[in-house]
């Protein structure tokens, strides 16, 4: 008997390669652990896909996954938008602080990436608000809204257009 429930992830839409926009084909799958807000683990089986043009390998991630994070996107969303005392996510305080720090560090870049995407697809980029922002995530409300799931709505276009910045420590060594 498995210790985690297993979920197979398969996108209903055809997503082109984030690098060159060409068609991708499935070359296999890999397992990915995901933790929810109560600390329960789930096992996702995500598809590995290779671009037919540039031959790069990509993983088909569902909206509940933030690249290189082990907790669901709604957990991170809850933590970065609430005060530390209000957090109900089953993670230690150091992890919660790291998430907040990660989000503050990435906020300017992610906002710029979303504005760049809006310009690329001939949409009106949202102008900065004249009122100073009270928290790091409020500036996103004008672009993706503030309803639950706003972090997933930020992550998806940035990842799908190959604009995601790797924040893993392994990329910092050298």
């Amino acid at each position: 008997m498995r210790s985690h429930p297993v979920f197979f992830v398969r996108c209903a839409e055809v997503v082109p390669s984030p690098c060159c926009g060409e068609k991708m084909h499935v070359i296999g799958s890999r397992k990915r652990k995901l933790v929810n807000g109560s600390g329960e683990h789930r096992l996702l089986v995500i598809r590995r896909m290779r671009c037919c043009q540039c031959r790069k390998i990509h993983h088909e991630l569902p909206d509940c996954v933030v690249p290189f994070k082990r907790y669901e996107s709604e957990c991170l969303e809850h933590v970065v938008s609430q005060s530390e005392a209000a957090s109900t996510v089953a993670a230690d305080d150091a992890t919660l602080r790291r998430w907040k720090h990660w989000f503050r560090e990435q906020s300017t870049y992610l906002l710029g990436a979303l504005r760049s995407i809006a310009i690329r697809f001939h949409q009106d980029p949202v102008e900065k608000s004249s009122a100073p922002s009270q928290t790091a995530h409020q500036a996103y409300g004008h672009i993706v809204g503030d309803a639950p799931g706003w972090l997933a709505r930020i992550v998806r276009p940035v990842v799908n257009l190959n604009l995601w910045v790797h924040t893993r420590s392994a990329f910092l060594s050298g």
Side-chain angles (χ1 to χ4, degrees), residues 41-164:
H41 292 257
R42 289 189 292 168
L43 189 62
L44 303 179
V45 177
I46 57 176
R47 296 191 307 174
R48 297 180 75 227
M49 305 180 86
R50 176 173 280 142
C51 175
C52 296
Q53 175 78 25
C54 66
R55 311 283 298 155
K56 291 188 178 179
I57 295 174
H58 304 282
H59 294 93
E60 186 177 44
L61 298 177
D63 287 344
C64 63
V65 174
V66 175
F68 307 111
K69 301 292 183 203
R70 295 291 168 220
Y71 280 76
E72 291 180 339
S73 63
E74 68 181 39
C75 296
L76 278 85
E77 178 180 309
H78 176 73
V79 169
V80 300
S81 62
Q82 303 294 325
S83 66
E84 284 195 36
S87 179
T88 59
V89 175
D92 60 50
D93 291 339
T95 300
L96 303 180
R97 283 193 298 275
R98 270 195 317 275
W99 291 350
K100 286 180 178 266
H101 177 74
W102 166 80
F103 189 73
R104 280 192 305 271
E105 291 289 317
Q106 296 298 312
S107 287
T108 302
Y109 174 77
L110 292 173
L111 279 169
L114 290 172
R115 287 188 181 108
S116 173
I117 292 167
I119 292 168
R120 181 185 293 184
F121 291 102
H122 308 292
Q123 297 175 350
D124 293 327
V126 177
E127 297 297 323
K128 282 188 173 182
S129 173
S130 59
S133 179
Q134 295 175 351
T135 63
H137 81 280
Q138 284 182 335
Y140 295 106
H142 299 293
I143 300 172
V144 297
D146 59 357
W150 60 264
L151 183 59
R153 290 190 299 274
I154 292 169
V155 170
R156 183 179 181 149
V158 174
V159 169
N160 285 344
L161 288 171
N162 203 33
L163 298 173
W164 190 259

